[in-house]
Amino acid sequence: MPTATEVDSTAEAAARRFRLAQTRGQQLLDEVDEWHSKSPPKVSFDLAPDGMGWMAVVHGYDPAPPLDAWGLQLGEVANHYRSVLNTTLTRIWNAEGLPRSNRLQYPVCVTRAQWSRASRVLAPLPERLVRLIYAGQPFVMSRAHGALPRDDVLAVLAWTDNQQKHQVELTASTSPVMNNFVAHAEFEESARVVDVRDISHSIQKREDGKVVILADTRPHRVKTLSTADLWLTTEITFADESGAWTEVRALLWEFLQRSRSVVQELLVVWSDESFDVDRIGGSVDFVSGAAFGKAAVDSLHGSGRWSKDFFNSGRFGEHRASAALEVGLSGVVDGRLSAEDH
C-alpha cells in the first residue's frame, strides 16, 4: 500500500497538469467570447418563396472566427487532460516498484478486444486497480448511460487528443433564441403581431453553406414583413468521431469532470487495500459466477446500485485520497468553466 506522501505527491502532480489544462481551456473560451462580442452574424430577412413565412439568412461573420487556430488549442487542452491520466497511472506504477514499460498508458477501450490487449500491459498492477480501470472503460460505461462506447466522454477525449495530430474540426453555429423572437407581419387576411407561440421554426443549411432560419406561418400567407426582432446566438461547436456536435464550453467541462473523476478514483482505490471494488459499477464482471454488467451489480448490492455506486456518492469526496487532489486544485480560476454556463 502506498504511503500518504506518495499519494499526496501523485495528487499534487495531477493537480498541476489539471491547472495547466484549465488555464489553456479558459484562454480558448475567452478568445471565443471576445470574438463573439465583436462579431455579430450578418443576417438578411426575406419572405419565403411560397409566401407562407420568412427567412433569416446568416451570410457569415465579420471577422470570421479563427476556427483552425481554436481547433489546435482545443487539441492541446485535450492532450493535457489525456496526459494527466497517463502520468498518474505511471506514477502509481513506479511507486509500486514495477519495471519500466514503454507500453504503459491509461487505456481507453471501446471494445472488449481492445481491453484484452490493454489488460495484458496492466496485469502487474494490483487487481483492485485493474478492476477499477476496467469499470471505467467506454465499452463498460456504455451499459450504464446507454450511449455508444465511442460517444462516452473518455472515448471522445482520447479521440480528440489523437485527432490533434490531424485537424480538430470546429464550426460556428448560429441559432435563434426563440424566447426573444417577435415579428410584426401583415397577412393577407388580417394584420396582427405574431410571436414564437404562433409560428414554428426550423434551422436549415443550404447547399451554399448559408444558414437559413425559417419561420413557417402556414396556412397564413404573409403579405408584408415590416419588422422582426430576432435575437441570435452563435456557438463554436466541435464534431466528434460520430459526427455529433458539442458546444466547446460544454465539451471542456465534460473533459474536466471525467478526467478529474478518473484520477480521484485511481487515488482512492490505490491508497486503500481494503477498498471493496465490487461496489463500483462494472467491476463485478470479474466476480466468478456473477451476472454481467448492471444485473451483476444490482444482484450483489441491490436494485439501482449500478447508477448509485461509491463514486457517485457523497462519501467518495470525503475520502482522504480524493480530497488530496481537490486541495491541489484549490484556487484554480475555473468559475466560467462550469456547468452553469451551459
Side-chain angles (χ1 to χ4, degrees):
M1 190 171 75
T3 65
T5 299
E6 288 174 325
V7 174
D8 288 346
S9 63
T10 302
E12 290 168 3
R16 287 194 296 271
R17 196 61 181 256
F18 274 126
R19 288 197 295 269
L20 179 58
Q22 289 173 282
T23 298
R24 295 287 189 268
Q26 194 60 60
Q27 288 172 346
L28 170 58
L29 296 180
D30 288 344
E31 289 185 23
V32 171
D33 289 342
E34 182 179 7
W35 171 82
H36 187 272
S37 67
K38 298 178 180 179
S39 307
K42 296 182 289 186
V43 183
S44 65
F45 290 88
D46 201 356
L47 293 179
D50 61 4
M52 295 184 182
W54 55 82
M55 298 180 295
V57 182
V58 179
H59 297 278
Y61 312 91
D62 186 18
L67 297 177
D68 288 346
W70 289 346
L72 290 173
Q73 289 174 259
L74 178 60
E76 179 191 359
V77 176
N79 177 258
H80 288 309
Y81 283 128
R82 181 73 176 92
S83 293
V84 75
L85 306 184
N86 290 337
T87 55
T88 299
L89 186 61
T90 297
R91 286 177 175 273
I92 291 174
W93 181 279
N94 293 338
E96 289 290 316
L98 299 173
R100 180 188 175 108
S101 172
N102 293 328
R103 299 173 59 199
L104 179 66
Q105 66 171 347
Y106 187 91
V108 178
C109 304
V110 297
T111 66
R112 183 169 291 277
Q114 289 178 345
W115 170 256
S116 179
R117 295 189 292 270
S119 62
R120 290 194 286 270
V121 178
L122 301 176
L125 286 169
E127 184 189 28
R128 66 185 186 278
L129 283 173
V130 177
R131 291 180 62 186
L132 167 70
I133 294 170
Y134 169 86
Q137 294 304 301
F139 79 94
V140 177
M141 293 292 290
S142 67
R143 304 201 304 263
H145 53 55
L148 293 173
R150 67 182 183 183
D151 295 332
D152 181 80
V153 175
L154 203 59
V156 174
L157 171 61
W159 183 83
T160 307
D161 173 45
N162 182 67
Q163 193 68 8
Q164 70 162 331
K165 304 177 183 66
H166 310 285
Q167 182 179 359
V168 175
E169 183 180 358
L170 300 179
T171 189
S173 176
T174 297
S175 58
V177 180
M178 294 306 185
N179 292 338
N180 295 330
F181 180 83
V182 176
H184 297 262
E186 182 180 354
F187 292 82
E188 290 187 351
E189 69 274 18
S190 64
R192 61 183 176 132
V193 175
V194 184
D195 64 21
V196 69
R197 288 166 297 192
D198 302 305
I199 302 173
S200 62
H201 293 72
S202 64
I203 300 175
Q204 304 172 346
K205 288 190 177 179
R206 301 197 314 210
E207 291 182 0
D208 59 9
K210 295 178 181 178
V211 178
V212 178
I213 302 166
L214 176 66
D216 187 356
T217 62
R218 298 174 188 278
H220 307 292
R221 185 179 299 276
V222 179
K223 183 176 181 181
T224 59
L225 176 64
S226 55
T227 62
D229 184 4
L230 178 64
W231 182 269
L232 299 176
T233 181
T234 301
E235 295 180 338
I236 304 301
T237 55
F238 160 81
D240 62 23
E241 185 178 11
S242 298
W245 293 92
T246 306
E247 194 267 328
V248 166
R249 189 181 304 272
L251 182 73
L252 291 178
W253 175 252
E254 292 174 1
F255 284 173
L256 166 63
Q257 293 304 304
R258 183 61 176 276
S259 56
R260 177 189 284 185
S261 176
V262 168
V263 170
Q264 286 178 309
E265 293 169 9
L266 284 170
L267 292 173
V268 168
V269 175
W270 179 45
S271 66
D272 187 355
E273 285 183 325
S274 64
F275 186 87
D276 182 8
V277 188
D278 287 350
R279 296 157 69 190
I280 304 171
S283 69
V284 289
D285 289 351
F286 284 74
V287 178
S288 177
F292 187 73
K294 180 180 183 299
V297 178
D298 290 353
S299 66
L300 289 174
H301 300 289
S303 179
R305 199 62 176 178
W306 173 274
S307 59
K308 298 177 182 178
D309 68 16
F310 178 72
F311 290 120
N312 291 316
S313 72
R315 292 169 296 165
F316 167 57
E318 299 170 1
H319 196 285
R320 185 192 178 285
S322 176
L325 179 63
E326 294 306 302
V327 169
L329 290 174
S330 63
V332 174
V333 180
D334 66 343
R336 286 170 291 170
L337 187 61
S338 68
E340 296 176 357
D341 289 322
H342 53 81

